[in-house]
Amino acid sequence: MTEIQHTIGSVSRESGVHIETIRYYERIGLIPRQQRNNSGRRIYDPQDRQRLSFIRRCRELGFSLDDIRSLLDLAGSNDRTCQEIKDLTEAHLASVRSRLSDLKRMEASLKALSQSCEGGGSPDCPILARLFV
Amino acid sequence: MTEIQHTIGSVSRESGVHIETIRYYERIGLIPRQQRNNSGRRIYDPQDRQRLSFIRRCRELGFSLDDIRSLLDLAGSNDRTCQEIKDLTEAHLASVRSRLSDLKRMEASLKALSQSCEGGGSPDCPILARLFV
DNA sequence: CTTGATCCTGTAGCGGCTACAGCATGTATA
DNA sequence: TATACATGCTGTAGCCGCTACAGGATCAAG
C-alpha cells in the first residue's frame, strides 16, 4: 500500500545531478514540473531519474542545455530520424574541436612564455616583456 | 598647442578591446578611472593603450581577469620577482592543460558516439541508446 | 544647419549553475 | 513523546566576462 516516494534527494544521488541543479532544470523547463506529494515535495519516478541521468551524461560531453533540449525533443518524437541526432552530435563535436584548437594554441604560447623565463629573484621578467608590446 | 585627445574609440581600435569592454574594465577597477575632458569624455594616453593591449594578450592566453589583475600588480611593483610571474604563468598553464584533457575526453566520446550511428532515416538511434542508460 | 558618428550612464541579459536566507516538514533516537 | 537533525521548500542574489540595449549628449564634416 505504501509506495516509496522518490524525493529530490534520492533522485539526485541516483542521477548524479545536484538538488539545486534539478530545481534549476525544472525552473527553465528542461524537465517537466514535478508532481508533489501532500506536503508539497516533489516526487519522481524512474523515467525522471533516467532523464536526469541522460542530461548529466550530455553535460559531461559538453552539450549545452539548449542542445540537450533538442536531443530530448528528438528522443521523444515519433518521426525523428537518426540523421538529426547525428547532425547535432557532429555539430557539437566540431565546436569541441574548435575549442580544443584554441586551447592548444594557448598551451603552446604559455609553454613558450614559461620556458623563456628562468624564474628566480630577478626583477626583469621575459614573460612580462613579451606581453607588454 | 592643440594636443590630440585619444578617445575610447581610438584606444579601442588600437588595443583591440571593445569599447564596452574597456568601460567594463574601468568599472571593475582593472584599469584606473580615466581622466575626462571638459565634456565628460574619457581621455587616454599611450600607457593606457599599452595596458589594454597587455590585457587583451593575456585574455587571448586564457588568463582570468583576476590573474590579469595580479599580473598588472606584479608588473607595477618594484620588488616583484621573476619567479612570481613564472608561477602564475605555470599555474595557468596547468589549468589550460586540465581543460585540454577534459575536452580531449569529450572529443573521443563524441567521435565514438558519432561513428556508432550511420545516420539516415532510421528512428532507432545508437547515439540515444548509448546516452539513455 | 543638419546629419551621422561617437560618446555618456545605467541597467539587464547571457549560460549554467551555486549559495544563501528563512522557513516547513520528515525521520531517528533517547 | 520530545527532541534533534536531515531534508525539503521558495525566492533571490551572485559568479565570470562580457554584450546589448535605452535614452540621451556632444562632436566633426558637408
Side-chain angles (χ1 to χ4, degrees):
Chain A
M1 220 52 134
T2 51
E3 291 178 25
I4 300 165
Q5 289 195 333
H6 298 276
T7 61
I8 198 169
S10 60
V11 85
S12 165
R13 275 188 297 277
E14 286 164 19
S15 67
V17 182
H18 291 164
I19 290 177
E20 299 86 350
T21 307
I22 295 175
R23 285 197 284 247
Y24 168 71
Y25 288 166
E26 186 183 325
R27 203 162 65 245
I28 64 167
L30 190 61
I31 57 174
R33 286 250 165 88
Q34 293 309 126
Q35 287 188 308
R36 305 300 180 105
N37 70 10
N38 46 11
S39 67
R41 299 192 171 191
R42 290 168 180 85
I43 46 180
Y44 296 85
D45 64 25
Q47 274 200 336
D48 298 321
R49 204 231 64 210
Q50 196 186 28
R51 196 180 177 91
L52 284 168
S53 298
F54 175 85
I55 295 173
R56 182 186 49 73
R57 268 185 285 272
C58 288
R59 289 295 297 138
E60 284 168 2
L61 293 171
F63 282 103
S64 72
L65 296 186
D66 256 14
D67 283 345
I68 297 175
R69 215 184 282 269
S70 303
L71 286 171
L72 285 167
D73 282 353
L74 287 170
S77 153
N78 286 327
D79 56 348
R80 64 129 190 289
T81 61
C82 236
Q83 193 61 50
E84 295 173 278
I85 309 284
K86 184 165 173 150
D87 286 350
L88 232 159
T89 306
E90 300 218 316
H92 177 54
L93 178 53
S95 94
V96 166
R97 283 179 172 153
S98 145
R99 278 190 283 154
L100 213 37
S101 83
D102 286 349
L103 275 179
K104 279 178 184 165
R105 247 186 295 110
M106 287 182 200
E107 195 218 358
S109 302
L110 287 165
K111 196 175 154 192
L113 271 181
S114 180
Q115 285 175 348
S116 76
C117 176
E118 295 177 9
S122 161
D124 294 326
C125 184
I127 297 178
L128 287 182
R130 284 169 184 228
L131 289 173
F132 270 112
V133 179
Chain B
M1 221 52 136
T2 52
E3 290 178 25
I4 299 166
Q5 290 195 334
H6 298 276
T7 62
I8 198 169
S10 61
V11 85
S12 166
R13 275 187 299 277
E14 285 164 20
S15 67
V17 181
H18 290 165
I19 289 177
E20 299 86 350
T21 307
I22 296 175
R23 286 197 284 245
Y24 168 70
Y25 288 165
E26 187 183 324
R27 201 162 66 245
I28 64 167
L30 190 61
I31 56 174
R33 287 250 165 86
Q34 293 310 126
Q35 287 188 308
R36 306 300 180 104
N37 70 9
N38 46 10
S39 67
R41 300 191 170 192
R42 290 168 179 85
I43 47 180
Y44 296 85
D45 63 26
Q47 275 200 335
D48 299 320
R49 204 231 64 211
Q50 197 185 27
R51 196 179 176 91
L52 284 168
S53 297
F54 175 85
I55 295 173
R56 181 184 50 73
R57 266 185 287 271
C58 288
R59 289 296 296 138
E60 284 169 2
L61 293 171
F63 283 103
S64 71
L65 296 187
D66 257 14
D67 284 344
I68 296 175
R69 215 184 283 269
S70 303
L71 286 172
L72 285 168
D73 282 353
L74 287 170
S77 153
N78 287 328
D79 57 348
R80 64 126 191 291
T81 61
C82 237
Q83 194 60 50
E84 295 173 279
I85 308 283
K86 184 165 176 154
D87 286 351
L88 233 159
T89 306
E90 300 217 317
H92 177 54
L93 178 52
S95 95
V96 165
R97 282 178 172 152
S98 144
R99 279 191 281 154
L100 213 37
S101 83
D102 285 349
L103 275 180
K104 279 178 184 165
R105 248 187 293 110
M106 286 183 201
E107 195 218 357
S109 302
L110 287 165
K111 196 175 155 192
L113 271 181
S114 180
Q115 284 175 348
S116 77
C117 176
E118 296 176 8
S122 161
D124 294 327
C125 184
I127 298 177
L128 287 181
R130 285 170 183 228
L131 290 173
F132 270 112
V133 179

